[in-house]
């Protein structure tokens, strides 16, 4: 079941590149590489926090939408080093990645993911919530991991906010390793995630939520993940740091939408 939204292609730059000058150049290269096309997918970039304002200025029309890689669970006050939902919103951020496995590894809990998601959605922004198992076992315990992560989030949400919820299935074993999940595995997990949404939020709400895949996506595997995986887009790390590769993936997503290929 496809979502009712356009495909969403998100580049997560993580802690790259090393300077504002290089970040501006990378963004300009990506912008240039996708400039000619009237794009069917929504394209979004998540630069490091210090670069958000300047990178946002490079797409004043919001053709490339601005994403934050994380947000504080707190609203204001004595939280050294953190950025609040309203701060991010005030510099033009439209969406926030929440619960990326690299954040979870440094202490972000399921409870914090729930609180952040509620705060981001309440502010009228889009929440890109990452779920995914560390490893695959033969007993299917990885389904339980995803179910636990997702159920916690879904329980706290209003039905009205579900169209701004994006779930990114990112198996940790696939992130930055070159071991992409097969299209069949991605599809199976998408169906499983939709089953959880149907159970918690009701069948009528399933199509409101976009389900992305992330983990070693390249321009070589993107088409198959869209065709056979039937995912609603990608969360892309390494390949988003190469303007040509990232633009190729956008082109593939565009062709998939317009020609079904
Ligand atoms: P990768 O990272 O594309 O480099 O595997 C994906 C992610 O962590 O979002």
């Amino acid at each position: 079941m496809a979502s009712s939204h356009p495909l969403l292609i998100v580049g997560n730059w993580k802690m790259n590149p090393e300077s504002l000058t290089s970040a501006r150049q990378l963004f300009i290269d990506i912008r240039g590489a996708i400039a000619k096309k009237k794009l069917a997918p929504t394209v979004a970039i998540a630069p490091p926090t210090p670069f958000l304002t300047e990178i946002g200025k490079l797409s004043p029309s919001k053709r490339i939408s601005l994403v934050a890689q994380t947000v504080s669970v707190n609203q204001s006050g004595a939280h050294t080093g953190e950025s609040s939902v309203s701060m991010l919103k005030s510099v033009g951020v439209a969406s926030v990645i929440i619960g990326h496995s690299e954040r979870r590894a440094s202490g972000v809990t399921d409870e914090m993911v729930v609180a952040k998601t509620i705060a981001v959605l309440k502010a009228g922004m889009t929440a890109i919530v990452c779920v995914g198992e560390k490893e695959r076992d033969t007993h299917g315990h990885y389904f339980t991991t995803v179910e636990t992560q997702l159920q916690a989030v879904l329980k706290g949400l209003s039905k009205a906010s579900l169209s701004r919820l994006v779930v990114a299935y990112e198996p940790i074993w696939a992130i930055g390793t070159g071991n992409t999940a097969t299209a069949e595995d991605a599809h199976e997990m998408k169906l499983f995630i939709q089953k959880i949404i149907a159970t918690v939020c009701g069948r009528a709400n399933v199509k409101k939520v976009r389900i992305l895949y992330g983990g070693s996506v390249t321009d070589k595997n993107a088409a198959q993940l869209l065709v056979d995986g039937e995912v609603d887009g990608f969360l892309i790390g390494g390949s988003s740091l190469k303007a040509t590769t990232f633009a190729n993936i956008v082109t593939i997503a565009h062709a998939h939408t317009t020609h079904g290929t």
Side-chain angles (χ1 to χ4, degrees):
M1 198 189 305
S3 86
S4 42
H5 302 269
L7 293 178
L8 174 62
I9 310 296
V10 185
N12 173 15
W13 286 357
K14 308 192 179 184
M15 204 165 73
N16 301 290
E18 64 185 15
S19 69
L20 178 59
T21 307
S22 316
R24 285 173 56 89
Q25 193 56 54
L26 176 58
F27 190 90
I28 288 166
D29 290 347
I30 289 173
R31 194 183 62 184
I34 62 174
K36 283 170 230 92
K37 301 159 197 100
K38 189 178 181 308
L39 295 173
T42 303
V43 181
I45 294 288
T49 308
F51 303 156
L52 279 168
T53 306
E54 287 301 314
I55 294 298
K57 286 183 195 160
L58 296 175
S59 186
S61 67
K62 310 267 185 256
R63 185 163 189 265
I64 300 179
S65 130
L66 196 59
V67 181
Q69 296 179 13
T70 186
V71 66
S72 174
V73 77
N74 302 294
Q75 287 169 10
S76 66
H79 305 287
T80 302
E82 301 203 359
S83 316
S84 70
V85 167
S86 57
M87 288 172 187
L88 296 176
K89 193 174 177 181
S90 74
V91 297
V93 167
S95 318
V96 183
I97 299 172
I98 300 170
H100 188 284
S101 58
E102 288 151 19
R103 304 292 316 157
R104 291 183 191 261
S106 49
V108 171
T109 62
D110 277 343
E111 291 70 32
M112 289 159 86
V113 169
V114 173
K116 290 175 189 218
T117 305
I118 292 172
V120 165
L121 293 174
K122 212 168 154 198
M125 300 155 85
T126 295
I128 303 170
V129 178
C130 301
V131 297
E133 75 282 0
K134 208 168 185 170
E135 55 200 6
R136 288 221 159 187
D137 57 284
T138 48
H139 305 290
H141 292 315
Y142 53 93
F143 285 114
T144 317
T145 305
V146 170
E147 186 171 18
T148 308
Q149 291 172 335
L150 193 59
Q151 259 180 356
V153 172
L154 292 172
K155 278 187 183 146
L157 301 187
S158 70
K159 307 275 179 290
S161 62
L162 289 174
S163 57
R164 282 181 289 106
L165 175 68
V166 177
V167 177
Y169 171 55
E170 294 213 313
I172 298 172
W173 50 267
I175 296 177
T177 59
N179 293 329
T180 324
T182 63
E184 291 70 30
D185 286 344
H187 188 232
E188 184 184 37
M189 192 55 86
K190 177 180 173 175
L191 295 179
F192 180 69
I193 288 170
Q194 289 187 320
K195 203 174 99 194
I196 300 167
I197 298 169
T199 308
V200 181
C201 310
R203 204 139 191 91
N205 291 299
V206 170
K207 275 168 85 172
K208 289 184 186 167
V209 182
R210 275 162 290 182
I211 301 170
L212 310 186
Y213 168 77
S216 298
V217 174
T218 68
D219 51 358
K220 305 284 181 294
N221 55 35
Q224 205 181 1
L225 284 161
L226 289 173
V227 174
D228 297 327
E230 291 185 32
V231 291
D232 303 313
F234 300 118
L235 182 53
I236 304 168
S239 294
S240 70
L241 297 171
K242 299 172 214 134
T244 314
T245 310
F246 186 73
N248 286 347
I249 299 170
V250 171
T251 305
I252 290 164
H254 178 80
H256 178 74
T257 309
T258 50
H259 309 303
T261 51

